[in-house]
Amino acid sequence: FATQTVNYSILSVDDAPTQISQIPNIQINENAMLNTIDLSSLFKDIDSELSFTVSNSNPKLLNSVISGANLEMVLTPDSSGTASLIVSANSLSYTLRDTFNIVVLKVDNPPYLAQKLQNLIVNEDASIKSLSIRNYFKDIDSDPAMFKVKLTNSNPNLVQITYSQDSLHLLLTPNASGVADLIVEVESD
């Protein structure tokens, strides 16, 4: 009886990576925080370590970077719009890509006090220049001409306050002196 031994060598080949699940589209309000996405839970490769890259169609809307196997994204403050991100999972010979969209919704930001109104001390019967509210109140997404202005006056017998054409107008009562607290409240549409 004759025997022969035959050696078989099985050479390894680079198996393609697989995608466990797709990256979902994201809709978020401006100035919100985006969660880091763990890409190692979405892509697998049985025979090699994956590396990841990302491309971003709208870098003015958000910054996106890969840190290890994590996709980190940071929104640009006070920005809205859409960005398409393409995440690539790279093995030795293969690249697998997934595209998803981030929609950042515009939020109406409230007006803010940009410069404090100074206390006024004037002589009786003086005339007071009008004060443009554009110098004091700002809103990144509304024109000050569209502001709703509410005025409160603690002493209308001393001074009259009105608002028109983006300005506060103060009119002193003749031959009167004293103190008045004026409150200016501004809101946007």
Side-chain angles (χ1 to χ4, degrees), residues 128-185:
I128 301 172
K129 290 184 193 178
S130 296
L131 301 171
S132 171
I133 66 163
R134 288 180 184 269
N135 296 331
Y136 300 97
F137 297 95
K138 305 286 184 189
D139 189 333
I140 60 170
D141 51 17
S142 295
D143 182 354
M146 304 305 291
F147 285 165
K148 294 177 188 173
V149 177
K150 178 182 174 190
L151 305 171
T152 306
N153 182 351
S154 70
N155 192 349
N157 294 325
L158 177 65
V159 61
Q160 296 296 311
I161 182 170
T162 59
Y163 173 75
S164 65
Q165 299 176 353
D166 298 341
S167 293
L168 299 174
H169 308 282
L170 303 172
L171 178 63
L172 298 177
T173 303
N175 300 315
S177 62
V179 175
D181 290 322
L182 307 175
I183 299 172
V184 180
E185 294 178 63

Side-chain angles (χ1 to χ4, degrees), residues 17-23 41-44 96-99:
T18 57
Q19 187 167 359
I20 306 304
S21 63
Q22 288 190 315
I23 302 171
S41 67
L42 303 173
F43 298 93
K44 299 290 181 195
L96 188 60
R97 290 181 181 83
D98 189 10
T99 301

Side-chain angles (χ1 to χ4, degrees), residues 82-147:
T82 302
S84 291
L85 275 66
I86 300 172
V87 173
S88 299
N90 309 296
S91 71
L92 297 174
S93 307
Y94 297 97
T95 297
L96 188 60
R97 290 181 181 83
D98 189 10
T99 301
F100 69 103
N101 294 315
I102 298 178
V103 178
V104 181
L105 303 173
K106 186 174 183 68
V107 173
D108 184 24
N109 295 295
Y112 62 93
L113 186 63
Q115 179 181 336
K116 185 177 177 180
L117 289 160
Q118 298 299 312
N119 291 330
L120 294 175
I121 300 174
V122 296
N123 292 326
E124 104 181 14
D125 301 329
S127 65
I128 301 172
K129 290 184 193 178
S130 296
L131 301 171
S132 171
I133 66 163
R134 288 180 184 269
N135 296 331
Y136 300 97
F137 297 95
K138 305 286 184 189
D139 189 333
I140 60 170
D141 51 17
S142 295
D143 182 354
M146 304 305 291
F147 285 165

